[in-house]
Amino acid sequence: MADRFARFRRVSPRSLMGKSPRSVAGQVFVLQVALVVLLVACAVFALVLQSERDTSAEAKRRSVAVAQTFAHSPGLLAALQTPDPSKVLQPLTEVARKASGVDFIVVMNTQGIRYTHPLPSKIGKRFVGTIGPSLAGKVYTESVHGPLGHEVQAIVPVENPAGKVVALVSAGLKVKNVVSEVDRQLPIIFGAGAGALALATGGTALMGRRLQRQTHSLAPDEMTRMYEHHDAVLHSVREGVLIIGDDGRLLLANDEARRLLELPPDVEGHHVSELSGLSGLDPETVALLSSGREATDEVHFAGERLLAVNQRPTDRGGGPKGTVVTLRDTTELQALSGRAQVARERLKLLYDAGLSVGTTLDVVRTADELARVAVPRFADFVTVDLADAVLHGEEPAGTATDMRRVAVAGVRDDHPLYEKGRLIDFLPSTPQARGYGTGRSVLVTDLSTAKGWHAQDPRRTKDILDYGIHSLIAAPIAARGVVLGMANFWRSKQHDAFDDEELSLAEELVARAAVSIDNARRYTREHALAVTLQRSLLPRALPEQTALDVGYRYLPAQSGVSGDWFDVIPLSGSRVALAVGDVVGHGLHAAATMGRLRTAVHNFSTLDLPPDELLSHLDDLVGRIDQDEAGTDSAAGVVGATCLYAIYDPVARRCAMARAGHLAPALVHPDGSVTFADLPAGPPLGLGGMPFQTAELDVADGTQLVLYTDGLIEDRTRDLDVGMELLRDALAGHPDRPPEESCQAVLDELLPDRPKDDVALLIARTRPLSPDRIADWDVPVDPAAVARMRGAVSEKLDEWGLSELAFIMELVLSELITNAIRHGSEPIHVRLIHDRTLICEVADGSSTSPHLRYAATTDEGGRGLFLVSQLTERWGTRYMPQGKVIWAEQALPSDHGHGTLAAEAFLAFGDEDFGDEDMPEARGSGDGADGDTGEAQGSGGAPHGDKGAAQGPGDETQGGAEDRGHGSGDEA
């Protein structure tokens, strides 16, 4: 057979016309030529008939159109009514005849007598044709022998406005003109037929030549024998054969290929890409057949069979392009390939676990990722139990108690396993406890025989077995030598029990997740420490004060701790300071820097500095921090620290504030409107070189001051102006809403559940001090005024119901007023404030300040401020633009009797405390210790003898000078 095909290939192609008709190609060529000639002849005949028919039809259509056009032309009826219609109509019909291309146009009356004709001699004679249908109102066409010869004519009625036929119009052509039109088309028709015959014959010759090449000039009997041999060989071999064309379509499939691939009977002609749908062929095998690439013994699946596939191109010896594929059943290799597939799936599972487990630094999220990646590819159910301490970032215990179930995943949700969130104490006999204690995985192939596991919860274990769960792997989650929890893999009745190889896979899977869980635990611990540090640096509770009703919120960012902070600081004179700041950045460094700045603000506020001066000191501090950290391994300096500092005075109903790179506060007015304070914007802290400015605002009763950090209104999805408008909308219209509710309303309006940046929000409603709780006096520069002031103060305290505080307050005021008279300058002003404490203030025009010191036993003075400090809760100095204020606070009697205790402590002082002066002299002195008030009493001052004060009019206890040039005492 191979020799025959070789002989066929060696035959050189000859001219088709010279080929013997006995060959298949020759016979087909003769038959095709005869068929082409017949078809072309029939086509030419049909075209001639069609041309004649079309020409006659066109002649009739033209006659009708011309006749109707002339019959309906304007003026025709008028011409017919003239005495000589022929005179009018004959010229018109001739012009119309020549223009329309017809041979005649005849106008006649209803008796058929012509008014017009191309031959004038025929005018007035009867029309040759049938006029009956036209008299009935119809258009009629016919072929007649008229005056011009054989004619094709159309007769159209002419109707008057009443619809009556009053004349007839006929138009037509001579038949010889129509035939000549057909004769002119015949050369074209015959030429086209000849061209079609030549083209068809050429195409037939080309097809015959191709058929000759494909059949190798074989005779019919030779081709029959060849295909008989072909079928015998192709369908008898025990190897599948597929022949695929260059276009990817299946040309042939032998019986063995159909059996191996389970192909349908009509598979030939389909594209190989359709085989996966027709026979369930593996997509990889279909991809190989579609590619056309060479393949040698490649192993592919076909259903449950494993086939060795060979593929070769068919055009190597000059044949047609395509591929031939041979298929050999090698199902005995399926077991080996199956094990390779299992290994590949396990590696894929480990690879996917490496990508999907540990995407966050959240312990619970990481455990849930471990559970989900293993279901259903490895287990039907997965539960993860972690030591409860691990969830808080702490070190786990040594036993499997206090285990928290943090993740549950399964193919179904109705399982009887312990639910997520449950706290479990595993008994020592359970696989989980054994694995936790030893640090080695435990394989239980049959849970029904695991007695130690049954003891944990007999009722639940029975439900688990009835559910169909039969096998367990308990793998410890261990990292850096510490067991953090257990990962439990469960299989139900749909799958076989776990084996030793799968135990190794579970250990590898859990080991990869354990590192991520431990990293998350460490992050949780560090984050908790940072949050604890930050919260310890923030106010735990607001101080007691009456000037403001304060609400606040602090929300940490998603990324961890940051440097936002706020503070409420009581100041002297019932004033309250509000501070809000922000240190750009996150982490411990930002939190620690925030703590340093907040402490500094606290310290500077004790000096009673105005806002701009306090921010200047804070700016210097930040600059020094930057210098100290320059060149070290610590983080960069404090870049972007901002602060807003405000002082509210409930007595004056004014608020002074300044800001360093911070956002301006919002003011909610009593009418519900919201404005933002027109506050000069200073540079951020640490830049230096630029002064800060204080703005003072008159604040109406009930006004809310809203201080906040940029995390409240700034967001990547909106502009700053949009955030401020949202804040305005959230605050507007609610002037009477408590500050706590306002804080929550603002957060609900402006922030998601977890802000991306820290947020500090402070809302304070002003509560001014009632005028009847304030008393003030102007004091002349006269020592005698001391006694008068004592009397006025005593009366005011009696009015307030604070008579028992009068003794101490008179002593304190005597000392402070005497110092102001002797060492200060005008004007001198005294003010009493009845608030949470009793506050006395003495103001003068001098900027020098006294200082507390211990007087020696030989000193004659210097004990006045010491006496003040001993008799009062607090005292201090506050500077003003013109002068200073020395103030002191005394606890009210309701505060555990502090006022009485202070008096008793004063009475207990002895000579060792006040030098040579005994207590009666000191108590009777006008300024407490720095000099008596003998002179003042001599001029009418109250001696206070009823309070036990020994008054010696001739006694002289001239006090010595205090530190820094401030003496105390007056002349006796």
Side-chain angles (χ1 to χ4, degrees):
M1 193 68 181
D3 294 341
R4 173 181 284 272
F5 276 110
R7 180 171 60 83
F8 289 154
R9 290 182 179 273
R10 287 194 297 270
V11 175
S12 60
R14 294 178 296 177
S15 173
L16 187 60
M17 298 304 296
K19 179 62 183 175
S20 171
R22 292 187 302 105
S23 67
V24 174
Q27 294 180 13
V28 170
F29 175 75
V30 172
L31 179 61
Q32 287 180 332
V33 169
L35 182 61
V36 167
V37 171
L38 178 62
L39 291 176
V40 171
C42 293
V44 170
F45 179 72
L47 288 174
V48 172
L49 292 179
Q50 183 66 30
S51 178
E52 290 180 355
R53 179 177 176 278
D54 291 344
T55 302
S56 298
E58 176 63 24
K60 291 180 180 181
R61 284 194 297 270
R62 186 185 300 178
S63 300
V64 170
V66 172
Q68 285 183 334
T69 300
F70 197 86
H72 295 88
S73 61
L76 178 61
L77 292 177
L80 291 173
Q81 294 175 2
T82 60
D84 189 2
S86 298
K87 182 178 180 180
V88 177
L89 295 176
Q90 178 65 16
L92 296 177
T93 56
E94 287 302 301
V95 173
R97 178 181 65 81
K98 295 177 182 178
S100 60
V102 297
D103 292 327
F104 64 89
I105 298 177
V106 175
V107 181
M108 69 195 82
N109 59 17
T110 54
Q111 286 78 32
I113 303 302
R114 300 187 185 99
Y115 291 140
T116 65
H117 196 276
L119 300 176
S121 60
K122 301 298 182 181
I123 296 175
K125 296 182 178 180
R126 182 174 295 278
F127 175 74
V128 178
T130 305
I131 63 173
S134 300
L135 292 175
K138 298 180 181 180
V139 176
Y140 183 72
T141 60
E142 62 181 347
S143 178
V144 299
H145 292 277
L148 300 179
H150 194 188
E151 303 168 346
V152 176
Q153 62 186 11
I155 306 169
V156 177
V158 178
E159 298 177 349
N160 61 10
K164 181 179 179 181
V165 177
V166 296
L168 301 174
V169 176
S170 176
L173 292 89
K174 292 183 288 186
V175 173
K176 67 177 182 179
N177 292 337
V178 176
V179 174
S180 64
E181 183 69 22
V182 176
D183 292 341
R184 287 195 296 271
Q185 295 180 3
L186 288 179
I188 300 176
I189 294 174
F190 285 115
L197 179 61
L199 184 61
T201 303
T204 301
L206 293 177
M207 293 179 60
R209 181 178 295 275
R210 182 176 181 182
L211 181 62
Q212 179 185 0
R213 290 197 302 269
Q214 292 176 345
T215 60
H216 302 284
S217 301
L218 294 176
D221 56 343
E222 293 177 326
M223 292 192 66
T224 300
R225 288 195 301 272
M226 182 187 72
Y227 280 106
E228 287 176 352
H229 295 163
H230 166 269
D231 290 341
V233 173
L234 190 62
H235 297 290
S236 298
V237 296
R238 301 304 298 169
E239 193 172 79
V241 178
L242 299 175
I243 298 178
I244 302 172
D246 187 38
D247 58 353
R249 297 188 178 276
L250 184 62
L251 302 180
L252 182 142
N254 70 345
D255 296 341
E256 184 66 9
R258 294 175 184 272
R259 184 185 70 83
L260 294 176
L261 303 181
E262 299 180 357
L263 298 175
D266 58 345
V267 70
E268 282 89 351
H270 289 84
H271 199 277
V272 292
S273 60
E274 303 174 11
L275 295 183
S276 58
L278 296 174
S279 64
L281 199 61
D282 187 80
E284 293 185 2
T285 308
V286 173
L288 171 63
L289 300 181
S290 301
S291 66
R293 64 178 176 84
E294 290 192 22
T296 302
D297 289 337
E298 289 191 11
V299 179
H300 291 270
F301 281 98
E304 297 181 355
R305 294 186 177 89
L306 196 65
L307 304 179
V309 180
N310 292 272
Q311 183 167 265
R312 296 289 186 275
T314 59
D315 58 350
R316 288 183 174 178
K321 289 185 178 181
T323 55
V324 59
V325 181
T326 61
L327 309 171
R328 190 170 64 254
D329 190 357
T330 58
T331 309
E332 62 274 8
L333 300 177
Q334 186 172 4
L336 178 60
S337 177
R339 287 194 293 271
Q341 179 67 18
V342 170
R344 184 177 66 177
E345 291 177 355
R346 291 178 177 178
L347 290 175
K348 184 68 165 54
L349 174 61
L350 294 176
Y351 175 76
D352 293 342
L355 294 178
S356 59
V357 178
T359 59
T360 65
L361 288 174
D362 183 87
V363 174
V364 176
R365 175 72 178 274
T366 305
D368 186 68
E369 291 170 347
L370 169 62
R372 294 186 181 279
V373 77
V375 176
R377 299 161 65 180
F378 180 68
D380 296 320
F381 301 93
V382 177
T383 60
V384 180
D385 307 318
L386 296 178
D388 200 46
V390 172
L391 301 178
H392 305 289
E394 303 172 359
E395 293 292 334
T399 59
T401 57
D402 290 337
M403 300 284 288
R404 181 79 63 180
R405 179 145 293 179
V406 297
V408 178
V411 294
R412 294 171 58 185
D413 296 331
D414 58 347
H415 57 79
L417 300 171
Y418 283 136
E419 67 278 4
K420 182 178 178 180
R422 180 165 183 154
L423 191 65
I424 309 171
D425 291 333
F426 287 106
L427 296 178
S429 60
T430 60
Q432 289 87 351
R434 297 201 309 272
Y436 190 93
T438 61
R440 292 189 295 271
S441 301
V442 177
L443 170 63
V444 182
T445 57
D446 188 0
L447 288 173
S448 62
T449 62
K451 302 301 182 183
W453 176 69
H454 290 187
Q456 173 69 30
D457 189 343
R459 183 174 180 180
R460 186 176 293 270
T461 54
K462 181 178 182 301
D463 293 340
I464 293 175
L465 293 174
D466 293 341
Y467 187 79
I469 296 176
H470 58 79
S471 183
L472 165 68
I473 292 179
I477 303 173
R480 301 178 179 92
V482 178
V483 179
L484 307 175
M486 297 296 295
N488 308 297
F489 302 90
W490 313 80
R491 276 189 180 173
S492 58
K493 55 188 176 182
Q494 287 84 2
H495 298 90
D496 297 333
F498 290 110
D499 54 27
D500 292 335
E501 292 184 0
E502 290 170 323
L503 176 64
S504 301
L505 176 61
E507 291 175 343
E508 178 67 21
L509 184 63
V510 173
R512 297 193 177 198
V515 176
S516 298
I517 292 177
D518 188 54
N519 289 338
R521 176 186 69 89
R522 290 169 175 263
Y523 170 78
T524 301
R525 179 180 60 189
E526 295 176 0
H527 180 70
L529 291 175
V531 170
T532 302
L533 170 63
Q534 185 185 35
R535 294 196 178 276
S536 67
L537 297 175
L538 290 172
R540 298 187 179 182
L542 297 181
E544 295 182 356
Q545 45 82 32
T546 57
L548 297 171
D549 181 14
V550 180
Y552 66 93
R553 289 291 187 277
Y554 174 77
L555 298 180
Q558 293 180 354
S559 57
V561 297
S562 183
D564 289 17
W565 59 278
F566 65 93
D567 217 334
V568 179
I569 307 171
L571 301 178
S572 63
S574 295
R575 298 171 305 131
V576 179
L578 301 176
V580 171
D582 183 8
V583 176
V584 175
H586 296 85
L588 290 176
H589 179 75
T593 303
M594 175 269 290
R596 298 171 72 177
L597 295 182
R598 177 171 176 260
T599 302
V601 170
H602 260 279
N603 294 336
F604 292 144
S605 66
T606 60
L607 301 177
D608 265 328
L609 299 175
D612 55 342
E613 292 186 22
L614 185 141
L615 291 181
S616 296
H617 287 292
L618 199 61
D619 182 64
D620 294 338
L621 173 64
V622 173
R624 288 195 299 272
I625 292 175
D626 288 342
Q627 292 176 2
D628 294 341
E629 293 186 352
T632 64
D633 295 335
S634 62
V638 185
V639 179
T642 64
C643 182
L644 171 66
Y645 187 77
I647 299 176
Y648 173 67
D649 187 348
V651 178
R653 292 176 172 84
R654 292 182 65 82
C655 182
M657 59 182 70
R659 58 174 173 154
H662 206 82
L663 296 170
L667 302 177
V668 183
H669 300 283
D671 61 354
S673 61
V674 179
T675 61
F676 290 92
D678 187 9
L679 184 60
L685 298 174
L687 297 183
M690 295 293 292
F692 300 97
Q693 300 182 51
T694 295
E696 292 194 6
L697 308 174
D698 291 324
V699 180
D701 298 352
T703 300
Q704 296 184 47
L705 307 176
V706 183
L707 284 67
Y708 52 92
T709 56
D710 57 359
L712 179 67
I713 61 174
E714 286 188 352
D715 192 88
R716 294 180 180 177
T717 60
R718 65 180 181 227
D719 294 334
L720 180 63
D721 294 340
V722 176
M724 297 186 74
E725 287 302 318
L726 291 176
L727 176 60
R728 186 197 302 271
D729 295 340
L731 295 170
H734 303 280
D736 299 326
R737 186 169 57 190
E740 280 292 331
E741 296 181 10
S742 295
C743 288
Q744 191 59 47
V746 168
L747 295 183
D748 293 341
E749 182 71 22
L750 272 74
L751 292 181
D753 295 336
R754 289 288 304 276
K756 297 181 180 179
D757 192 9
D758 280 23
V759 174
L761 174 63
L762 189 65
I763 300 181
R765 185 197 304 276
T766 60
R767 294 187 299 195
L769 200 60
S770 176
D772 60 0
R773 301 173 72 90
I774 304 169
D776 53 359
W777 302 270
D778 290 325
V779 181
V781 185
D782 182 3
V786 177
R788 292 194 296 272
M789 284 306 305
R790 285 202 299 264
V793 169
S794 179
E795 292 177 2
K796 179 55 70 174
L797 294 181
D798 290 341
E799 179 184 337
W800 287 343
L802 303 176
S803 300
E804 57 185 292
L805 302 181
F807 175 65
I808 299 298
M809 186 54 64
E810 289 175 13
L811 291 178
V812 172
L813 276 175
S814 295
E815 171 61 28
L816 298 181
I817 295 173
T818 300
N819 279 346
I821 292 174
R822 291 178 59 87
H823 306 291
S825 61
E826 293 186 289
I828 300 175
H829 189 80
V830 175
R831 183 169 66 175
L832 282 183
I833 301 174
H834 181 197
D835 196 10
R836 300 180 65 87
T837 61
L838 182 60
I839 306 169
C840 68
E841 297 179 345
V842 177
D844 67 81
S846 173
S847 297
T848 57
S849 175
H851 294 273
L852 179 66
R853 68 180 180 88
Y854 286 94
T857 55
T858 58
D859 290 342
E860 296 182 358
R863 299 175 179 85
L865 289 182
F866 180 79
L867 177 65
V868 172
S869 68
Q870 295 297 316
L871 295 179
T872 60
E873 293 288 324
R874 298 189 306 153
W875 74 278
T877 303
R878 179 171 74 249
Y879 292 95
M880 301 182 301
Q882 293 83 27
K884 66 179 182 297
V885 175
I886 301 179
W887 56 270
E889 293 183 4
Q890 187 175 359
L892 299 180
S894 59
D895 297 342
H896 308 290
H898 285 172
T900 303
L901 292 176
E904 293 176 354
F906 170 70
L907 294 174
F909 286 154
D911 293 341
E912 66 275 14
D913 297 316
F914 293 95
D916 297 335
E917 303 168 358
D918 55 12
M919 280 309 301
E921 293 174 340
R923 292 172 60 189
S925 63
D927 61 350
D930 293 345
D932 61 20
T933 58
E935 181 176 336
Q937 293 171 7
S939 59
H944 296 280
D946 57 340
K947 293 185 175 65
Q951 303 164 11
D955 187 17
E956 180 176 347
T957 56
Q958 184 75 21
E962 290 186 10
D963 288 349
R964 307 201 181 195
H966 280 249
S968 64
D970 58 71
E971 298 178 356

